Amino acid sequence: MAKNKQKILSIVLAGGEGTRLMPLTRDRAKPAVPFGGVFRLIDFPLSNLVNSDYRHIVVLTQYKSHSLDRHISQMWRFSSLLGNYVSPVPAQQRLGKHWYLGSADAIYQTINIIEDVQPDIVVIVGADHVYRMDFGQMVEQHIESGAEFTVAGIRQPIEQSKQFGVIDVDPNHPNQIKSFLEKPETCAGLPDDPNSFLASMGNYVANTDALFDALAKDEKNENTKHDMGGDIAPYFAARGEAGVYDFNSNEIPGSTPTDHAYWRDVGTIKQFYDAHMDLIAYVPEFNLYNQAWPIYTNSGTLPPAKFVHAGRDRLGHATDSIVSPGVIVSGGEVHHSVLSPNVRIHSWAQVVDSVLFDGVVVNRRARVYKAILDKNVVLTENSTVGIDTEHDLARGFTVTPEGITVVPKNTIVDD
């Protein structure tokens, strides 16, 4: 059955607490965390859905959702002429005085919204991964396979099996899920690639009636975590009704061999930092400049970035970096970093291997190395971040085992 004959509703799961990204999630929902200078994490799944021509979208929110709701209401507005919408839906507590117990429970508690829309198929995606994906191709395979429930899988090296939930495929039917394995020490390779396995991406396509039935049974089950990947997908797999979509087969207009099938979970500070470093590689592993499949956001009415002072010892410049609108580099040095809008770098300051959020100010002779500075952080003259680990820890900053220093929002760093 052709895609355009089906009625599709998309659900974005944006209710996670994001504790592993603290302190970046101290005051905001994880999907509202800034990324790549001008974007927020929620912009990636929403852009993928819109580019896939799926424009009936609900976003299930929960923790610290104000900034996320504001971003969606300001940025993700469609003309009502064709009935398109992106609608944030807070936790409803329809089944009792409790928050969402898991991703499956989140959908079950908002099942009235699905009933109102009456879609044939529901596309369910996470809100906090960085990637490009044409969901239409996944839906097409889902329909053609006859599966009731399809999981998107990303190929990973077999030695990393203990880090992921593993999708065990049927060797005789490579698009069918035989079982799920939760972070096994080892697993079998794929029929066409013995050195790789398929890990769940947290994206699903389901036939509406079958999904309703599975969620209702899960709600009554006492031995469940009410999780889409941990409970609902295994339920369909046990019935022989679960398919798998290999993300490696997804073709995006304008993609390159380097960023084909790029997908990153940015759930930890290290993963978040590493994904930023991917953006500024000489040949970026994830190409933000692919206008054939754009990532949408709202940069406002900011002026272009500006670089001033050209003296030999006072040269305002940035190398191997992303510099957003509204930034002024005034006699300072920026290298291998990402600067978000309205950042100020003053004379003789240095920023290296770092990610600076909106409104950060690095005053004269201050130095920043391998750090993430949250919104409106100010370094006074001669202050440092990322130079002395013990000093950073003593000031209450987060320092990861890899040496990434994170300074919380609105902090004034004064040495």
Side-chain angles (χ1 to χ4, degrees):
M1 194 176 295
K3 179 182 75 173
N4 60 8
K5 298 296 185 181
Q6 301 293 304
K7 189 173 184 179
I8 309 289
L9 174 67
S10 301
I11 298 177
V12 181
L13 299 171
E17 193 170 4
T19 54
R20 296 182 301 159
L21 267 184
M22 289 289 286
L24 302 180
T25 50
R26 185 188 68 183
D27 299 314
R28 59 171 74 90
K30 182 179 175 184
V33 172
F35 185 86
V38 298
F39 306 100
R40 293 180 184 250
L41 290 177
I42 189 70
D43 292 328
F44 292 86
L46 290 179
S47 295
N48 286 327
L49 289 168
V50 168
N51 288 331
S52 302
D53 202 26
Y54 296 151
R55 299 177 184 177
H56 299 160
I57 306 168
V58 295
V59 182
L60 305 187
T61 66
Q62 184 167 218
Y63 294 100
K64 305 171 186 174
S65 63
H66 172 67
S67 61
L68 178 60
D69 293 339
R70 182 177 60 193
H71 177 72
I72 293 172
S73 65
Q74 291 177 341
M75 166 60 203
W76 289 96
R77 292 183 295 177
F78 298 148
S79 168
S80 60
L81 183 64
L82 301 178
N84 299 326
Y85 57 86
V86 176
S87 177
V89 179
Q92 302 291 297
Q93 295 192 352
R94 287 182 172 272
L95 301 179
K97 299 297 181 180
H98 59 78
W99 292 56
Y100 295 145
L101 302 176
S103 54
D105 181 64
I107 297 171
Y108 190 66
Q109 286 204 41
T110 54
I111 208 164
N112 62 299
I113 296 174
I114 306 176
E115 290 174 334
D116 288 344
V117 176
Q118 296 185 333
D120 301 298
I121 289 174
V122 180
V123 176
I124 303 166
V125 306
D128 46 23
H129 300 136
V130 176
Y131 65 108
R132 282 188 174 90
M133 182 174 182
D134 182 354
F135 287 105
Q137 296 173 32
M138 181 177 176
V139 170
E140 287 292 334
Q141 180 189 295
H142 170 81
I143 295 171
E144 292 170 2
S145 71
E148 297 285 5
F149 187 86
T150 299
V151 183
I154 178 79
R155 294 189 177 215
Q156 298 290 341
I158 201 164
E159 59 269 18
Q160 295 183 14
S161 64
K162 60 184 178 181
Q163 300 178 26
F164 295 93
V166 174
I167 300 171
D168 187 18
V169 299
D170 186 335
N172 298 319
H173 303 90
N175 290 333
Q176 184 173 340
I177 298 175
K178 185 169 64 174
S179 63
F180 276 78
L181 305 173
E182 185 62 28
K183 297 181 180 180
E185 287 296 322
T186 186
C187 66
L190 295 171
D192 63 340
D193 185 0
N195 295 317
S196 299
F197 70 95
L198 285 175
S200 174
M201 297 171 63
N203 295 338
Y204 313 99
V205 173
N207 295 340
T208 304
D209 291 343
L211 178 64
F212 278 8
D213 186 58
L215 293 174
K217 290 178 180 176
D218 180 76
E219 193 272 334
K220 296 180 176 62
N221 188 353
E222 296 181 358
N223 186 29
T224 176
K225 295 182 179 179
H226 305 289
D227 184 71
M228 290 298 298
D231 299 294
I232 301 303
Y235 163 83
F236 283 108
R239 296 164 60 92
E241 297 173 347
V244 60
Y245 176 76
D246 188 344
F247 181 53
N248 193 57
S249 68
N250 200 256
E251 296 295 335
I252 296 296
S255 67
T256 67
T258 302
D259 73 349
H260 172 74
Y262 179 97
W263 177 88
R264 292 291 184 273
D265 180 353
V266 290
T268 68
I269 292 296
K270 181 183 185 303
Q271 291 169 332
F272 183 81
Y273 178 87
D274 289 346
H276 275 91
M277 297 302 104
D278 288 346
L279 301 179
I280 53 179
Y282 176 69
V283 179
E285 293 191 46
F286 185 76
N287 180 18
L288 289 175
Y289 304 93
N290 178 6
Q291 290 303 301
W293 193 273
I295 306 300
Y296 297 100
T297 194
N298 183 8
S299 299
T301 56
L302 295 173
K306 181 181 179 182
F307 301 82
V308 294
H309 297 306
R312 181 173 297 178
D313 66 340
R314 196 183 181 196
L315 179 65
H317 65 284
T319 57
D320 296 341
S321 297
I322 287 175
V323 181
S324 300
V327 171
I328 298 178
V329 181
S330 177
E333 173 188 355
V334 178
H335 178 66
H336 202 245
S337 296
V338 176
L339 306 187
S340 301
N342 290 324
V343 166
R344 299 289 185 267
I345 310 296
H346 290 281
S347 295
W348 304 291
Q350 288 185 326
V351 176
V352 179
D353 295 337
S354 296
V355 180
L356 277 55
F357 285 9
D358 299 47
V360 168
V361 178
V362 182
N363 280 293
R364 289 186 170 199
R365 297 182 180 86
R367 292 179 293 161
V368 181
Y369 288 90
K370 199 175 182 180
I372 301 172
L373 308 185
D374 205 339
K375 188 176 180 180
N376 297 329
V377 167
V378 175
L379 269 71
T380 61
E381 289 194 26
N382 299 304
S383 295
T384 65
V385 170
I387 303 296
D388 184 337
T389 298
E390 295 303 320
H391 187 40
D392 288 340
L393 291 170
R395 292 180 290 182
F397 303 157
T398 298
V399 182
T400 71
E402 300 79 22
I404 305 163
T405 302
V406 187
V407 181
K409 181 179 176 182
N410 297 326
T411 299
I412 297 177
V413 181
D414 187 353
D415 286 348

